[in-house]
Amino acid sequence: MTLAEETRKTLCDEFGVTGLVELIERDFEDISPAADVDREKAALYAERNRGSVRLSAGRFYTATEYVEHIRKVKALNLP
């Protein structure tokens, strides 16, 4: 991947890494209520997101919503 030097520097500064290889090999953090996704921030960067349409549209569960959803599903009485 070829990036302009200014873009490379901006990415490294933004993510707190020394090089892009470090960024690519970095493990993803677990989603927890303490480090939950912020819907407002997701909406702010939606136009820049070229990934999932669900994320861009705000159609995702936050960690707190997911825990509540799982609790409701487990409480269902199936026939």
Side-chain angles (χ1 to χ4, degrees):
M1 170 168 62
T2 343
L3 294 173
E5 191 58 38
E6 185 176 335
T7 304
R8 182 184 310 272
K9 183 180 180 312
T10 302
L11 284 172
C12 291
D13 291 346
E14 183 72 26
F15 290 107
V17 295
T18 56
L20 292 180
V21 174
E22 184 181 341
L23 177 63
I24 293 169
E25 293 178 351
R26 187 164 78 178
D27 290 334
F28 291 105
E29 297 176 7
D30 290 334
I31 296 175
S32 67
D36 205 355
V37 178
D38 183 11
R39 285 191 186 279
E40 289 76 29
K41 190 177 279 188
L44 178 67
Y45 294 110
E47 294 176 0
R48 299 180 191 175
N49 185 8
R50 295 192 174 199
S52 172
V53 174
R54 288 184 319 103
L55 293 177
S56 296
R59 295 180 180 170
F60 58 88
Y61 287 117
T62 63
T64 309
E65 292 170 344
Y66 185 71
V67 169
E68 181 64 22
H69 173 71
I70 293 299
R71 188 190 64 72
K72 286 180 182 178
V73 169
K74 286 183 178 179
L76 287 175
N77 290 326
L78 299 176

